[in-house]
Amino acid sequence: MAIHLKAVLLIADGLGGRPTDYYGKTCLEAAHTPNIDELAKRGVTGLLDPIKPGVRPGSDTAHLSIFGYNPEKVYTGRGVFEALGIGMNVKEGDVCFRTNFATVDEKLNVLDRRAGRITEGAKELEKALQNLKPSQPDVKVFFKASTEHRGALVLRGKGLSDEITDADPHKTGVKMVYAKPLVSNDSAMRTAELVNEIVKQSYDILKNVSLNRKREEEGKPPANILLLRGASIKTEIPSLKELYGVKGVAIAGGALYIGIAKALGLETKKAEGTTGGADSKIINKAKLAVKELRDGKDFVFIHLKGADSCAHDHDAEAKIKYIQKVDEVVGFLIENLDWEETHLVFTGDHTTPIVYGDHVSDPVPIVFVGPNVTADDVEEFNEKSVLKGGLGRISGRVVPILFGYCNWLKKYGS
Amino acid sequence: MAIHLKAVLLIADGLGGRPTDYYGKTCLEAAHTPNIDELAKRGVTGLLDPIKPGVRPGSDTAHLSIFGYNPEKVYTGRGVFEALGIGMNVKEGDVCFRTNFATVDEKLNVLDRRAGRITEGAKELEKALQNLKPSQPDVKVFFKASTEHRGALVLRGKGLSDEITDADPHKTGVKMVYAKPLVSNDSAMRTAELVNEIVKQSYDILKNVSLNRKREEEGKPPANILLLRGASIKTEIPSLKELYGVKGVAIAGGALYIGIAKALGLETKKAEGTTGGADSKIINKAKLAVKELRDGKDFVFIHLKGADSCAHDHDAEAKIKYIQKVDEVVGFLIENLDWEETHLVFTGDHTTPIVYGDHVSDPVPIVFVGPNVTADDVEEFNEKSVLKGGLGRISGRVVPILFGYCNWLKKYGS
């Protein structure tokens, strides 16, 4: 019988670039990456359109598509994943929001959408907001603060809708803007009413919290209202375990990625010393991944955020430097994975070029390595070298292809 | 911030060919095309399946797919685009037909489906047909003649259907054939009745037009009836401006291409001296394109018809010669576009091989050029050289990919 195979998905967020990144080269071309190039030497390379050609992906839709899910069917917005990612319990049919603590005056003019990027007292505000009580008694409200002004709110009840606009003016110096139904059905109208009631209650509760009186005394903007945006309803998403029988773990730091992993039924772990910033000890993610596989996991998803952040900041040198840190991660994996039984795929979730500083639809290089992979002749890994890759150009579905090499797919037909 | 980018879509209709075209080469291989090859040197090449592999496209469905629309959703037939293309106003829900002036005898046997390819008097016939009056008073009829025997007719009213057969026997020497409903619902039955009433009225009107009496005296077949074919209903198609915020213009001559451009919300312009024939001064299209971009347009679509027409005529030498004219167009664009800000894609809307003389499903070469494109190593542009291209094989969606290079896509997800 075949040995039991293992799988690793290594995503460097925003990995792809353009020739305008750095003196006629992409950052990936410019970086010194002997280990990543070693993957290209050993494996099969090509181009990945995270969703499909000519679609500009968000990180959320891209990851869903890479995991083999059709975002048009399962994606309703980022809120669900953010709520899951900060540790909230989200059930099918729940409507989730991303929230901001903000500052309003007594006439509910919005003065600061982030309450001066408040850094302290989130737990006190969160505790106070446990008293949110909608007048519709069959609906439950859950709120959790995350970092700084950020948080998430979950509404649970029958017949709620995410087809409503934001309760957030998205700018300052204007009157508070309330949620409106986007369609004229009872669910949407009822949910919009609920949201607006909650926003008003949040003001009544938060204005009296002692933290805010103290902030006002200190001349700081009080965190005296909750803005709600990006309503999204939790759909049914079959887990990777249900689909493939796989016991997997995600090693990620960002709430969004943790949330996506949870939505797909993966266990989630953080590696020590990882911060999401340029100083993050991402090598610890590789160490944890190797340990998890040795401890019996079938599948590890490692998410590395930094390349995308550097590109959003238009900082080519930082992105190049971060890619060289990713190369060390790859080096550790090459050294420490059991290559008789492990398949690994390395790619980005999208291209984030330096000049544009945001996601674009250009495809991103990808490489599959492992005992069942027929290798091509490509010996470097970048946007140009993989144009000759043997994988061709694929649209999403990276994880099903990876699991295919591991013999974990169910037969379709007979 | 980034400079404002520009985009050019250059389509040589029926560009693709087969090795059976001309002594073991395709016409594109046989033609001398230094400028088109220069595009290959500068850009990334590959193969385009206009719709998807194994689908044999029409020019209309191919163009819709190339523009990023799903023809299965937005295409109901050629009539809508022909009517728009000859300058008729077509609204959502209108049912459009392509029409022929034809010749029938007094028993309504069809003697000539094109009334002897009548070349004169179209305006007189068109004017006479303004008296078409259906007995259903809530339905309006619009008719416009175009070239020779051709024209279009539009029905406007609530609850009309395009699910009817043609009022056209499609051969001569037989009795007139009337429209029948293809489904048994009120709309289809009512529309078929309407069409048949209009055809009969057209005979009553046209037989008495002085032009026809004159033609009969001269022994020419009178244009005494209107045949209606290809019923198609105008669906809602979001414009390129709505989808991408782009101000675009189409430079085309053929009614179909003008109609498609109008349906997608593009402005349309004709270049001087362009005829659709082999002698057409297509270089003027390139000149106009450069002017339009300099005058502030974001996007220009240039349509060149000749290669397809030559291939339909099984004339390899004419097709080769026309491709060499296209090469001059490309040369002018290479010289005169601002390559720091412009992305261009050059391809065909389908393959039309010489031996078969009609559209086939074989993919067609494609090349993208511009500052954000990672170039491959291909140095010539033809069916064989692009097999090694870095773009791989794409299915439609050429314009979304082009606009992606220009940073014009909205993000899907966040």
Side-chain angles (χ1 to χ4, degrees):
Chain A
M1 250 307 289
I3 48 167
H4 186 72
L5 298 169
K6 306 259 181 182
V8 177
L9 167 67
L10 178 61
I11 298 269
D13 206 292
L15 178 69
R18 283 175 170 171
T20 47
D21 280 354
Y22 190 77
Y23 302 105
K25 290 186 173 181
T26 71
C27 288
L28 190 51
E29 284 181 284
H32 176 64
T33 55
N35 295 304
I36 295 174
D37 292 343
E38 178 66 23
L39 292 182
K41 287 190 184 83
R42 294 190 188 186
V44 68
T45 64
L47 286 172
L48 168 69
D49 289 291
I51 297 173
K52 61 181 174 182
V55 173
R56 183 178 164 218
S59 284
D60 40 18
T61 49
H63 273 82
L64 288 170
S65 179
I66 284 169
F67 274 102
Y69 298 83
N70 181 349
E72 285 182 27
K73 288 196 182 149
V74 302
Y75 181 71
T76 61
R78 183 159 175 158
V80 167
F81 305 113
E82 288 282 345
L84 281 166
I86 65 172
M88 297 180 82
N89 179 14
V90 182
K91 297 185 178 172
E92 213 181 305
D94 288 358
V95 177
C96 305
F97 301 83
R98 302 171 75 186
T99 68
N100 274 18
F101 290 125
T103 307
V104 289
D105 66 18
E106 63 284 356
K107 287 179 177 163
L108 298 192
N109 292 303
V110 177
L111 306 179
D112 187 327
R113 282 188 66 253
R114 299 181 185 86
R117 288 196 178 268
I118 184 167
T119 52
E120 86 292 2
K123 282 295 140 192
E124 187 183 343
L125 299 170
E126 181 183 294
K127 196 176 164 200
L129 288 176
Q130 302 313 307
N131 295 317
L132 287 169
K133 288 268 172 309
S135 57
Q136 299 181 26
D138 56 328
V139 176
K140 288 185 178 162
V141 182
F142 305 93
F143 171 76
K144 191 168 179 183
S146 58
T147 54
E148 298 178 350
H149 54 279
R150 300 178 196 91
L153 186 138
V154 176
L155 295 180
R156 181 169 303 152
K158 280 200 179 148
L160 297 176
S161 167
D162 61 355
E163 294 187 282
I164 62 168
T165 62
D166 293 347
D168 182 343
H170 290 284
K171 54 185 174 182
T172 53
V174 296
K175 233 29 224 138
M176 177 63 199
V177 168
Y178 292 99
K180 289 183 206 63
L182 282 167
V183 291
S184 56
N185 64 37
D186 286 350
S187 301
M189 287 191 277
R190 180 181 169 220
T191 312
E193 268 174 44
L194 254 169
V195 162
N196 296 333
E197 192 184 4
I198 285 169
V199 169
K200 285 169 194 160
Q201 277 188 20
S202 79
Y203 175 68
D204 293 333
I205 293 171
L206 293 175
K207 69 178 176 192
N208 296 317
V209 170
S210 63
L211 172 83
N212 277 331
R213 284 195 298 250
K214 188 163 154 262
R215 282 179 72 83
E216 284 178 304
E217 279 162 27
E218 290 168 358
K220 290 179 185 165
N224 61 8
I225 200 165
L226 204 60
L227 306 180
L228 275 69
R229 70 181 189 280
S232 73
I233 194 161
K234 175 77 167 71
T235 57
E236 195 196 336
I237 306 183
S239 72
L240 293 170
K241 177 144 195 184
E242 281 169 80
L243 293 174
Y244 308 103
V246 167
K247 208 162 64 177
V249 60
I251 300 173
L256 175 62
Y257 311 97
I258 295 170
I260 290 170
K262 284 187 176 171
L264 307 184
L266 293 174
E267 199 181 318
T268 61
K269 296 208 171 176
K270 281 199 187 192
E272 260 181 57
T274 53
T275 62
D279 61 335
S280 184
K281 290 197 177 120
I282 57 175
I283 195 78
N284 288 348
K285 295 194 180 187
K287 289 179 183 170
L288 182 54
V290 170
K291 181 178 179 306
E292 288 293 319
L293 291 169
R294 286 186 188 153
D295 288 354
K297 291 291 192 306
D298 305 302
F299 167 56
V300 178
F301 159 46
I302 308 171
H303 182 265
L304 306 174
K305 181 68 191 166
D308 187 54
S309 312
C310 301
H312 277 274
D313 294 341
H314 305 281
D315 189 340
E317 288 182 18
K319 185 170 175 181
I320 291 167
K321 213 166 150 185
Y322 188 87
I323 289 171
Q324 291 175 177
K325 281 181 71 168
V326 173
D327 191 70
E328 290 170 28
V329 168
V330 171
F332 185 88
L333 293 174
I334 289 176
E335 278 295 303
N336 291 284
L337 291 177
D338 180 344
W339 289 106
E340 284 188 15
E341 60 173 34
T342 308
H343 289 87
L344 176 144
V345 58
F346 173 58
T347 187
D349 61 337
H350 50 74
T351 292
T352 311
I354 296 300
V355 176
Y356 186 58
D358 203 342
H359 311 180
V360 296
S361 62
D362 309 19
V364 57
I366 184 168
V367 56
F368 286 88
V369 185
N372 291 333
V373 172
T374 298
D376 60 25
D377 292 339
V378 173
E379 304 216 324
E380 285 176 37
F381 186 77
N382 58 55
E383 291 79 356
K384 194 169 174 71
S385 63
V386 303
L387 295 180
K388 293 183 177 172
L391 188 70
R393 185 163 180 162
I394 60 173
S395 291
R397 300 193 55 77
V398 171
V399 165
I401 295 171
L402 176 67
F403 288 4
Y405 283 125
C406 297
N407 308 326
W408 295 340
L409 303 186
K410 286 176 195 148
K411 202 184 282 182
Y412 171 54
S414 70
Chain B
M1 247 318 284
I3 48 170
H4 186 73
L5 298 169
K6 307 255 180 184
V8 177
L9 167 66
L10 178 62
I11 298 270
D13 206 293
L15 179 69
R18 285 176 169 169
T20 47
D21 279 354
Y22 190 78
Y23 301 105
K25 290 186 174 181
T26 70
C27 288
L28 190 51
E29 285 181 284
H32 176 64
T33 55
N35 295 303
I36 296 174
D37 292 343
E38 176 67 24
L39 292 181
K41 286 190 184 84
R42 295 188 188 187
V44 68
T45 64
L47 286 173
L48 167 69
D49 290 290
I51 298 172
K52 61 184 174 182
V55 174
R56 185 181 161 216
S59 284
D60 41 17
T61 50
H63 273 82
L64 289 169
S65 178
I66 284 168
F67 274 102
Y69 297 83
N70 182 349
E72 286 181 28
K73 288 196 182 151
V74 301
Y75 181 71
T76 60
R78 184 159 175 160
V80 167
F81 305 113
E82 288 282 347
L84 281 167
I86 64 172
M88 298 182 80
N89 178 15
V90 183
K91 297 185 178 172
E92 214 180 306
D94 287 358
V95 176
C96 305
F97 300 83
R98 302 171 76 188
T99 68
N100 274 18
F101 291 125
T103 308
V104 289
D105 64 19
E106 64 283 357
K107 288 179 178 163
L108 299 191
N109 292 303
V110 177
L111 304 178
D112 188 329
R113 282 188 64 254
R114 299 181 185 87
R117 286 196 180 267
I118 183 167
T119 52
E120 85 291 3
K123 285 293 138 193
E124 185 183 344
L125 300 170
E126 181 184 293
K127 195 176 165 201
L129 288 176
Q130 302 313 307
N131 295 316
L132 286 169
K133 287 267 172 310
S135 56
Q136 299 180 28
D138 58 328
V139 175
K140 286 185 181 165
V141 181
F142 305 93
F143 171 76
K144 190 166 179 183
S146 59
T147 54
E148 298 178 352
H149 54 280
R150 301 178 195 93
L153 186 139
V154 176
L155 295 180
R156 182 169 302 154
K158 281 200 179 148
L160 296 176
S161 167
D162 61 354
E163 295 187 283
I164 62 169
T165 61
D166 293 347
D168 182 341
H170 290 285
K171 54 185 176 185
T172 52
V174 296
K175 213 83 187 127
M176 177 63 198
V177 168
Y178 292 98
K180 290 183 207 61
L182 283 165
V183 291
S184 56
N185 65 35
D186 286 351
S187 300
M189 286 190 279
R190 180 182 169 219
T191 311
E193 267 173 45
L194 254 169
V195 161
N196 296 333
E197 191 185 5
I198 286 168
V199 168
K200 286 170 194 160
Q201 276 187 20
S202 79
Y203 175 68
D204 293 334
I205 293 170
L206 293 175
K207 68 178 175 191
N208 296 317
V209 170
S210 64
L211 172 83
N212 279 329
R213 283 195 299 248
K214 188 161 155 265
R215 282 179 71 84
E216 285 178 304
E217 280 164 24
E218 291 168 356
K220 290 179 185 166
N224 60 7
I225 199 166
L226 204 59
L227 305 180
L228 275 69
R229 69 182 190 280
S232 73
I233 193 161
K234 174 79 168 70
T235 57
E236 195 195 335
I237 305 182
S239 72
L240 293 170
K241 177 146 197 182
E242 282 170 79
L243 293 174
Y244 308 105
V246 167
K247 208 162 64 176
V249 60
I251 300 173
L256 175 62
Y257 311 98
I258 294 171
I260 290 171
K262 285 187 175 170
L264 307 183
L266 293 174
E267 201 182 317
T268 60
K269 295 209 172 179
K270 281 199 186 194
E272 260 181 59
T274 54
T275 62
D279 60 334
S280 183
K281 290 197 179 124
I282 58 175
I283 194 78
N284 288 348
K285 296 193 180 190
K287 289 180 184 170
L288 182 55
V290 170
K291 181 178 180 305
E292 289 293 320
L293 292 169
R294 287 188 186 152
D295 288 353
K297 290 290 192 308
D298 305 304
F299 167 56
V300 179
F301 159 45
I302 307 172
H303 183 265
L304 307 174
K305 181 67 191 166
D308 187 53
S309 311
C310 301
H312 277 276
D313 293 341
H314 306 282
D315 188 340
E317 286 182 19
K319 185 170 175 182
I320 291 167
K321 214 166 150 186
Y322 188 88
I323 289 172
Q324 291 175 178
K325 280 181 71 169
V326 173
D327 191 70
E328 290 170 30
V329 168
V330 170
F332 185 88
L333 294 174
I334 289 176
E335 278 295 304
N336 292 284
L337 291 177
D338 180 344
W339 288 105
E340 282 188 19
E341 61 173 35
T342 308
H343 289 87
L344 176 144
V345 57
F346 173 58
T347 187
D349 62 337
H350 50 73
T351 293
T352 312
I354 297 299
V355 176
Y356 188 58
D358 202 344
H359 311 181
V360 296
S361 63
D362 309 19
V364 56
I366 183 167
V367 57
F368 286 88
V369 184
N372 290 332
V373 172
T374 297
D376 60 24
D377 292 339
V378 172
E379 306 215 323
E380 285 176 37
F381 186 78
N382 57 56
E383 291 78 356
K384 193 172 173 70
S385 63
V386 304
L387 295 179
K388 292 184 177 172
L391 186 72
R393 185 164 179 158
I394 58 172
S395 291
R397 298 189 59 74
V398 171
V399 165
I401 295 170
L402 176 68
F403 287 4
Y405 284 124
C406 297
N407 306 327
W408 295 340
L409 302 185
K410 286 178 195 147
K411 202 185 280 184
Y412 171 49
S414 74

